[in-house]
Amino acid sequence: MSLLHTNAWRSTTSRLILIYGVLFAVWGLILVAVIQWETNRYLNGVIDQMLVQRMHYLAATDAPRLPATVDAASKIDPHGIMSVGLFDSAGHVLAGNVDRIPAELHVDGRAHLLNGGMPRPDRVEGSIRVRAMAMTLPSGQILVLAKDTSTIDGLGAITRRALLWGISLTIIPGLLGGFLLRRGPAQRIRELQLATEPIRQGDLTKRLPVSRRGDELDLLAGIVNTMLGEIERLMNEVKGVCDNIAHDLRTPLTRLRARLYRTQQQLLGQQPEAALVDACMVDIDAVLARFRALLRVSELEDRHRSACFAEVDLARVLREVHEFYAPVAEDREQPFDLDIQPLPPVRADAHLLFEALANLVGNAIKFTPIGGSVQLRASMDRDGPRIDILDSGPGIPADERDAVTRRFYRGDNSRTTPGSGVGLSIVSAIVRLHGYALDIGDAANGARITLYCYPVKPGEVPGTCLARTVSVARHEATT
């Protein structure tokens, strides 16, 4: 998956911002809850003390004067937050501004919180919570006192609003700061990914950029660059050894073949010596073909030939390939169809494209049974030209498609078929040189090999056996 298209909110910086934001919000809620609980406890204690003091004051009043005192106490409250009521033992109102004794209020001389409020003629019941107290006097009368908790509730609302504003004023700048902090690493990651594109295509001479910051990304880039340098050295050593072996042995083998040829001419008509010499020459020719293929792959992987690219007419190259292999397919009684849609020119090496397509078509004809069919088809994909080679052969098993482009690899279906196992290696090298993509899959009645003749965009999901990554949805939709 491409880092260029990664969801920005899945980055490490964004996750840290989210985690700290959640922790801050949770801690703010806990802090406000504790503050509000402590404040409510303190203010409820103050109200309860006030109720106890007034209850003792009224209870000490003479019984004949108590109704008038209760009425006076209910009228002198300018804000109407105090409720006072005097009832007889049967609960009938004698004085005050309370209609009745609430059922949830216990007559025990202790303060209680009434969420339903105090029933009064001047307010709707249940609209205001109160702290209330009721006590039975020596005369048998019941005295009720209550005070609204609107002050406590208002203070709690102020606290909650303050928390909301505090969180908002903290999170919004935090998000803006996090966005700015995330842009820098995201830009660095994009630069690193762009730098890895040629490395991923096989150019081990490239290195990741290192800034002057010396941060973690620079440290990681330095480690990767060191690894790339060592890999490049080892690859060059192995490649050099293989090339030297192929080059150095080709000369003595060529001389040996020439001597065997002269011996063959001298032994014409003599059996079994002539047959033995013929078999030796066949084996030497096979070894020389392998060496030539190895040197050809090394030449293509050198990448210097890309400087000679020019505009190429794909249709013309395809027609040449078709004309070249049509007689071979005819000898094997295989219908060989050519289907070319209008195609734009591509920047490539025409000879190398011909070599790659000829190799793919030759393999399709070779592995398709006699009487089968082969089709060479060119069309426009949504991003550029694509070439499909379809045949009715056995195809390449899915578990071998990643390995068939290795040098000398031969699958189970091809071990009994003549060949060196280097053909698809040459095709893969040509594809990588052009920056194209190769995909091996299944067709309706056999095998399919698709060559995408355009640079593949970074971040596309890999398919199978690719020189570059190719979107799976792309070739599934067009197959």
Side-chain angles (χ1 to χ4, degrees):
M1 180 177 182
S2 173
L3 295 174
L4 290 174
H5 302 286
T6 300
N7 188 342
W9 294 107
R10 297 180 63 182
S11 64
T12 302
T13 305
S14 300
R15 291 181 180 181
L16 288 176
I17 293 172
L18 180 61
I19 291 173
Y20 281 113
V22 171
L23 290 177
F24 174 79
V26 171
W27 177 249
L29 290 175
I30 294 175
L31 179 62
V32 170
V34 171
I35 293 175
Q36 187 169 355
W37 181 76
E38 288 288 347
T39 303
N40 290 346
R41 188 173 65 87
Y42 172 76
L43 293 178
N44 286 332
V46 172
I47 292 175
D48 293 346
Q49 290 180 3
M50 186 183 302
L51 292 176
V52 170
Q53 291 175 359
R54 291 204 176 189
M55 181 66 74
H56 290 166
Y57 170 78
L58 293 175
T61 304
D62 296 336
R65 296 173 47 206
L66 184 57
T69 304
V70 169
D71 285 333
S74 63
K75 292 177 182 179
I76 63 174
D77 179 20
H79 302 290
I81 61 175
M82 289 295 300
S83 301
V84 185
L86 183 62
F87 302 87
D88 59 17
S89 57
H92 299 108
V93 179
L94 299 177
N97 57 1
V98 179
D99 291 338
R100 56 181 176 80
I101 301 175
E104 63 270 24
L105 179 60
H106 301 286
V107 185
D108 55 3
R110 298 173 59 185
H112 300 277
L113 176 64
L114 303 182
N115 291 317
M118 185 63 65
R120 289 173 46 169
D122 57 346
R123 66 176 57 165
V124 178
E125 187 175 354
S127 59
I128 301 177
R129 300 193 309 163
V130 297
R131 299 283 297 181
M133 176 184 296
M135 185 177 67
T136 303
L137 301 177
S139 61
Q141 297 174 332
I142 300 175
L143 182 61
V144 175
L145 290 176
K147 188 177 188 305
D148 297 351
T149 60
S150 55
T151 302
I152 300 176
D153 296 338
L155 182 60
I158 293 173
T159 305
R160 288 189 294 271
R161 286 195 297 270
L163 171 66
L164 180 61
W165 279 104
I167 292 177
S168 301
L169 295 177
T170 303
I171 289 181
I172 293 175
L175 291 176
L176 294 176
F179 174 75
L180 296 177
L181 289 174
R182 180 178 54 80
R183 289 185 61 185
Q187 179 63 29
R188 294 283 307 285
I189 294 296
R190 284 192 289 270
E191 294 174 356
L192 291 175
Q193 192 208 17
L194 291 175
T196 60
E197 282 300 309
I199 299 174
R200 190 163 60 89
Q201 297 174 38
D203 187 0
L204 295 179
T205 62
K206 301 296 183 181
R207 295 295 181 266
L208 300 182
V210 179
S211 69
R212 299 180 180 179
R213 299 185 184 92
D215 55 12
E216 295 84 353
L217 289 178
D218 290 328
L219 178 61
L220 179 61
I223 295 173
V224 173
N225 288 338
T226 303
M227 295 172 56
L228 288 173
E230 185 65 15
I231 292 172
E232 182 186 10
R233 183 185 67 81
L234 295 174
M235 292 291 291
N236 288 335
E237 288 183 0
V238 173
K239 180 176 178 295
V241 170
C242 293
D243 293 347
N244 290 335
I245 291 175
H247 187 273
D248 293 343
L249 291 183
R250 188 170 60 172
T251 300
L253 285 173
T254 302
R255 292 174 181 171
L256 178 60
R257 188 188 186 285
R259 292 170 183 170
L260 286 174
Y261 178 76
R262 288 194 295 269
T263 304
Q264 181 188 39
Q265 298 301 314
Q266 296 173 3
L267 296 176
L268 286 176
Q270 300 182 25
Q271 298 293 339
E273 289 83 359
L276 180 60
V277 172
D278 290 341
C280 292
M281 290 187 63
V282 170
D283 291 339
I284 291 177
D285 287 340
V287 174
L288 287 173
R290 284 174 170 81
F291 285 161
R292 283 194 297 270
L294 278 175
L295 294 174
R296 180 62 173 154
V297 172
S298 298
E299 176 190 355
L300 292 172
E301 289 179 344
D302 216 7
R303 295 180 176 270
H304 294 304
R305 189 161 180 173
S306 61
C308 302
F309 283 5
E311 296 292 324
V312 174
D313 183 0
L314 274 179
R316 179 179 178 181
V317 175
L318 291 170
R319 283 191 290 268
E320 291 176 354
V321 173
H322 183 265
E323 292 175 0
F324 186 82
Y325 275 100
V328 181
E330 184 178 353
D331 291 341
R332 293 177 59 85
E333 300 178 0
Q334 297 171 344
F336 184 24
D337 298 328
L338 177 63
D339 180 11
I340 303 177
Q341 297 180 6
L343 300 173
V346 296
R347 185 167 181 79
D349 186 307
H351 298 290
L352 293 182
L353 277 185
F354 178 88
E355 182 178 356
L357 292 171
N359 202 311
L360 295 175
V361 171
N363 281 344
I365 294 176
K366 179 170 64 174
F367 290 104
T368 299
I370 295 177
S373 62
V374 178
Q375 182 180 11
L376 181 59
R377 184 175 66 191
S379 59
M380 278 298 296
D381 202 347
R382 65 185 180 189
D383 295 321
R386 61 176 284 171
I387 300 172
D388 295 287
I389 297 95
L390 310 172
D391 62 66
S392 57
I396 300 175
D399 56 350
E400 296 183 5
R401 292 171 184 172
D402 290 330
V404 290
T405 56
R406 299 184 205 149
R407 302 181 186 184
F408 301 119
Y409 180 85
R410 306 201 70 191
D412 295 334
N413 295 334
S414 60
R415 295 191 185 278
T416 58
T417 305
S420 61
V422 189
L424 285 180
S425 299
I426 295 177
V427 173
S428 179
I430 293 174
V431 170
R432 287 196 300 269
L433 180 66
H434 286 77
Y436 294 165
L438 183 70
D439 177 69
I440 299 176
D442 299 320
N445 299 316
R448 171 190 57 80
I449 296 184
T450 301
L451 176 62
Y452 297 94
C453 298
Y454 52 86
V456 180
K457 296 179 181 178
E460 294 182 309
V461 181
T464 54
C465 185
L466 298 178
R468 294 282 304 276
T469 55
V470 176
S471 172
V472 174
R474 173 185 300 165
H475 63 70
E476 285 181 350
T478 52
T479 300

